[in-house]
Amino acid sequence: MADPLPPLYLATAIEAVTRAGEVQLAHLGTDLRVDKKGAIDLVTEIDLQIEREFRGMIAERFPGHVVLGEEFESTGDRDAAPEYCWVFDPVDGTTNYAHGLPIFCSSLALEIRGEIAVGAIYDPTRRELFTAERGLGAWLNGKPLHVSAAGTLLDSLLVTGFHYGIQRDPEEVVGLFRDFITRSRAVRRLGSAALDMAYVAAGRFDGYWESKIQPWDVAAGALIVAEAGGQVTTIAGGPFRSRAGSVLASNGSIHEQMLDVIRGAAPAGRSGKGTQ
Ligand code: LIP
């Protein structure tokens, strides 16, 4: 049995994501400064403000800890192996947020020697706080979370996301979308990977997949899904790591069926070429 973590770690994660939610709501729909990191990859002044404030809190509270954040990532950050690393997305669903679409959250995980130990995701529009500690379960506003019982793809509601390079190479993403949409009940695309995974943990989705995904999008959600009884691997079915670059998260019952579609092994399916 692993030693219990200091309670301050989970408390810090909850404090950070709920504070992020307050800032997000206070500025939602206002005339925000929005810059482009790429043709369709946006960053708002709120992303920057929230991450800056968070980095200051960690530097003061845990001076020996490292932060891997979406907006102030330094070269080599994601390849380093710090003992304590906070993996932070200040606004997950930035495109939605910049357009005033209320589907966004803040996502924070603490990795200890490379293992995700604490996760927290907060959606301020619904006041929903998803949390997990390794080995201690997953929770939504203090109530236990459990994945769905769907046993077949045809009875499953799935979700995915599209990486920012999709315009250069749409075929892999669109091909998999087509393969899943023709084998499941339906597929959604919400624009927030962290909420996609939180909803798998809550049983609202039965499975989620995405390639070319960032550590901060999925680190917290991966622990929350696993602690809610789900299964998390890379899109190729390998062991999940937040830096792996892809994710497949499900209720466990349909995981192999989803891998069959991705591998092109499902009947009359198209192969998922180029999966990571
Ligand atoms: C987003 C993810 C989403 C993905 C987008 C983007 P961001 O994160 O949550 O699932 O499809 O391409 O990566 O940029 O809003 O933090």
Side-chain angles (χ1 to χ4, degrees):
M1 179 71 178
D3 295 336
L5 291 173
L8 188 54
Y9 289 158
L10 180 60
T12 295
I14 292 170
E15 178 186 344
V17 294
T18 47
R19 169 65 183 147
E22 289 165 7
V23 176
Q24 290 164 353
L25 280 190
H27 298 275
L28 180 63
T30 62
D31 184 20
L32 292 174
R33 177 189 165 114
V34 179
D35 291 305
K36 291 187 174 181
K37 299 188 282 188
I40 57 172
D41 186 357
L42 307 181
V43 56
T44 74
E45 61 182 286
I46 300 309
D47 294 79
L48 300 173
Q49 175 188 332
I50 292 171
E51 185 168 330
R52 205 176 283 120
E53 188 177 306
F54 174 71
R55 285 176 177 271
M57 178 173 85
I58 296 298
E60 185 183 327
R61 191 172 298 180
F62 304 115
H65 291 197
V66 166
V67 174
L68 173 63
E70 177 167 8
E71 308 310 343
F72 295 95
E73 182 189 6
S74 305
T75 307
D77 274 0
R78 70 178 67 200
D79 303 324
E83 187 165 6
Y84 294 89
C85 183
W86 295 86
V87 187
F88 188 46
D89 192 340
V91 181
D92 187 56
T94 296
T95 302
N96 294 346
Y97 185 75
H99 285 260
L101 180 66
I103 306 175
F104 54 84
C105 64
S106 178
S107 179
L108 178 59
L110 172 60
E111 293 179 338
I112 301 177
R113 291 178 288 281
E115 292 294 326
I116 305 169
V118 171
I121 294 170
Y122 183 58
D123 170 358
T125 69
R126 292 172 179 78
R127 295 188 180 81
E128 289 191 326
L129 175 65
F130 301 86
T131 58
E133 281 187 283
R134 181 169 292 282
L136 297 177
W139 311 85
L140 167 55
N141 294 350
K143 295 190 176 73
L145 276 176
H146 202 273
V147 293
S148 74
T152 69
L153 275 184
L154 205 54
D155 291 334
S156 295
L157 180 59
L158 307 178
V159 61
T160 188
F162 306 151
H163 58 78
Y164 287 123
I166 187 168
Q167 292 181 337
R168 290 190 301 273
D169 175 20
E171 196 35 47
E172 176 209 346
V173 171
V174 173
L176 264 183
F177 194 87
R178 178 178 52 236
D179 290 349
F180 276 113
I181 211 163
T182 55
R183 287 165 179 76
S184 64
R185 179 167 289 164
V187 182
R188 301 289 182 256
R189 194 280 197 251
L190 301 186
S192 167
L195 286 182
D196 296 340
M197 298 184 84
Y199 293 172
V200 170
R204 299 172 184 171
F205 284 128
D206 307 298
Y208 160 69
W209 80 95
E210 188 158 351
S211 56
K212 299 186 179 62
I213 197 74
Q214 300 299 333
W216 41 78
D217 293 324
V218 292
L223 180 65
I224 293 167
V225 170
E227 289 296 324
Q231 186 174 355
V232 187
T233 64
T234 65
I235 204 167
F240 174 81
R241 315 290 294 172
S242 63
R243 279 78 162 163
S246 71
V247 64
L248 176 65
S250 76
N251 65 4
S253 308
I254 63 168
H255 211 82
E256 280 306 314
Q257 295 168 59
M258 292 188 76
L259 283 172
D260 284 346
V261 174
I262 291 165
R263 291 166 179 155
R270 177 194 167 282
S271 69
K273 288 198 301 293
T275 52
Q276 285 194 5

